[in-house]
Amino acid sequence: MSSPADAPTPAAAPDADAVGRVLLLYSGGLDTSVMLRWIQERYEAEIVALTVNLGQPGEDFDVVVGKARQLGAVDAILLDAREEFAREYVLPAIKANAIYGNGYPLFTALGRPLIAKLAVEQARRTGCDTVAHGCTGKGNDQVRIEATVAALDPDLNVIAPVRQWSMSRDEEIAYAREHGIPVKGGTEAPPYSIDDNLWGRSSEGGEIEDLGAAPHDDVFQLVTRPEEAPEEPELVRVEFERGRPVALDGERMGLVDLLDRAAEVGRRHGVGIVDHIEDRIVGLKIRDVYEVPAAAIILTAHRDLEALVSTIHQNNFKRTLEDKWAYLCYAGLWHDPLRSDLDAYMESANEVVTGEVTLKLYKGSVTPVARESRYALYDRSLASFGESGAQFSQDASPGFIELFTLQTRMARRVRAQHGPVAGPDDPSPEHLGENDGKRP
Ligand code: ARG
């Protein structure tokens, strides 16, 4: 019997007899490798491993898939989802100028709903009753994956062994040794927890948890440290059609290639480093170090072009929707209808985001230095200090200022006449009612 989509998500791990065949989201790292054996033992279940290519730089996916087979997966599937990721997830984020908090362009948060959707599809195709993932109980990723699985197929069980098994890293390594699981790079703890794809890379944990210290140089494995970047600035031209980046320096290319190329030039110039204090959905505050060269370039260009072609009202309004969009994405609510409602607005606002922006990259900075668009709401003769354009009558300005400031001036006068406004915690006696200062 199938459960309704709004059935509560199961509170704990499913019973062992409900788990026969498990679709495991497999990265090839220690956690998911230990998991591949542990689930077989603990649940006496078959494992289908799924590995998703979202453009993780430097990953050897054939090795990952080979390892899954070697560890006993009955099937090991590799999906190249870069095109879909760029088109269906990163592009809407570009149109929404999506930034969470003070600078996180959401690459992980964008990837998780796609990974979870592919897990559901492959689980159905291969006859799995359960999806397993390697997220911990402290992070956002568990929420994103489970929210998506529950929205798309409420009948699938989900197991998250890292939340269940309470093994320390040393115990995991011991388990790996016993079970013939190769441990990459020896036994020393990796310095940081990394997640990456074509839109960026994050490092968490280790020395990054010391808020009082700057990140060590070894954090930066993607972007050149700005002090080592070239002495000469470089200009990049990004061309957009309806909000979609279509060309770099005049050369048209597909989105995946364009994002790759933007990342490459950004990396060289030390662009896109973000040291971020972040509010996780699960309540924790955390520090992340992000390296987001492609996002730093593309979002800066997009925002600049959009500002030029949209009215003041559109520009002011869109920002509040952008924050909402970013929060929904961050919080794993990709399938909330509000996201598609907001996307409809973003699409509409991006209809005229066509044109070109030139950016200057120099030792970690990205600065728009030139732009053009046939939709620009800009008229040099109107804007110029040099000419008094016939269409802009400066004589009208005093009247405009008078009316525009009417309420501000009046409020100041009225409040000066009647003394300061009483605050709720400090009722001044002349503002108290008959009830002796107790609020009704
Ligand atoms: N703080 C970011 C987020 O919540 C990055 C998380 C990285 N995930 C990971 N499994 N290392 O989206």
Side-chain angles (χ1 to χ4, degrees), residues 80-400:
D80 181 351
R82 287 176 296 172
E83 289 292 339
E84 186 177 4
F85 181 51
R87 195 182 58 240
E88 305 293 333
Y89 295 79
V90 178
L91 182 56
I94 293 170
K95 290 179 179 172
N97 296 316
I99 291 288
Y100 177 73
N102 288 328
Y104 170 39
L106 293 160
F107 51 90
T108 297
L110 289 163
R112 292 306 186 246
L114 172 55
I115 290 172
K117 185 198 83 166
L118 296 172
V120 169
E121 286 170 7
Q122 294 302 317
R124 284 182 178 152
R125 193 182 65 77
T126 59
C128 292
D129 46 42
T130 301
V131 169
H133 63 74
C135 307
T136 74
K138 283 189 166 181
N140 297 316
D141 290 328
Q142 54 174 344
V143 181
R144 297 167 182 151
I145 288 180
E146 292 181 35
T148 302
V149 173
L152 298 184
D153 189 345
D155 289 331
L156 279 171
N157 301 312
V158 175
I159 54 180
V162 178
R163 289 194 307 228
Q164 286 172 259
W165 66 29
S166 68
M167 272 192 266
S168 67
R169 191 182 153 82
D170 286 345
E171 287 163 337
E172 276 187 57
I173 289 171
Y175 183 99
R177 289 260 153 78
E178 270 164 46
H179 293 78
I181 300 167
V183 180
K184 193 168 66 176
T187 55
E188 71 284 0
Y192 311 107
S193 158
I194 307 298
D195 188 60
D196 55 5
N197 60 44
L198 53 76
W199 197 227
R201 167 187 161 98
S202 73
S203 306
E204 296 176 337
E207 290 306 311
I208 292 170
E209 290 169 359
D210 178 1
L211 300 189
H216 297 188
D217 288 352
D218 65 352
V219 171
F220 303 104
Q221 301 291 324
L222 185 64
V223 170
T224 309
R225 294 191 314 120
E227 43 276 62
E228 286 156 14
E231 293 300 326
E232 284 303 309
E234 182 169 348
L235 298 179
V236 232
R237 276 186 299 136
V238 190
E239 193 180 330
F240 292 87
E241 282 173 7
R242 300 174 156 211
R244 176 191 182 115
V246 293
L248 224 50
D249 292 330
E251 190 185 332
R252 283 186 83 90
M253 60 190 98
L255 198 50
V256 171
D257 288 338
L258 191 146
L259 297 177
D260 265 1
R261 287 270 293 272
E264 193 189 298
V265 57
R267 289 167 72 160
R268 255 200 326 274
H269 288 277
V271 151
I273 293 175
V274 183
D275 185 329
H276 200 230
I277 295 299
E278 187 164 305
D279 287 303
R280 281 191 184 161
I281 332 159
V282 292
L284 294 169
K285 254 188 218 303
I286 212 86
R287 181 208 207 172
D288 274 90
V289 178
Y290 295 123
E291 296 166 81
V292 290
I297 288 175
I298 301 299
L299 292 179
T300 302
H302 181 268
R303 244 186 265 116
D304 189 75
L305 184 59
E306 201 180 63
L308 179 64
V309 300
S310 309
T311 68
I312 179 175
H313 307 292
Q314 291 179 299
N315 282 329
N316 290 342
F317 182 64
K318 189 160 177 282
R319 254 168 240 155
T320 60
L321 299 193
E322 290 172 0
D323 284 348
K324 196 75 204 168
W325 196 100
Y327 176 74
L328 284 177
C329 171
Y330 186 80
L333 300 177
W334 187 257
H335 292 282
D336 194 283
L338 179 57
R339 209 251 323 155
S340 42
D341 295 348
L342 293 175
D343 272 340
Y345 181 84
M346 302 301 172
E347 283 298 322
S348 167
N350 273 274
E351 285 286 305
V352 288
V353 184
T354 295
E356 196 176 83
V357 176
T358 305
L359 304 165
K360 181 157 95 178
L361 312 187
Y362 179 63
K363 288 194 175 290
S365 71
V366 190
T367 317
V369 292
R371 61 286 276 169
E372 59 181 54
S373 168
R374 61 175 177 272
Y375 297 109
L377 302 180
Y378 175 82
D379 179 331
R380 185 168 178 183
S381 69
L382 281 183
S384 174
F385 285 101
E387 299 166 41
S388 52
Q391 295 169 66
F392 192 97
S393 108
Q394 299 199 41
D395 298 348
S397 286
F400 165 74

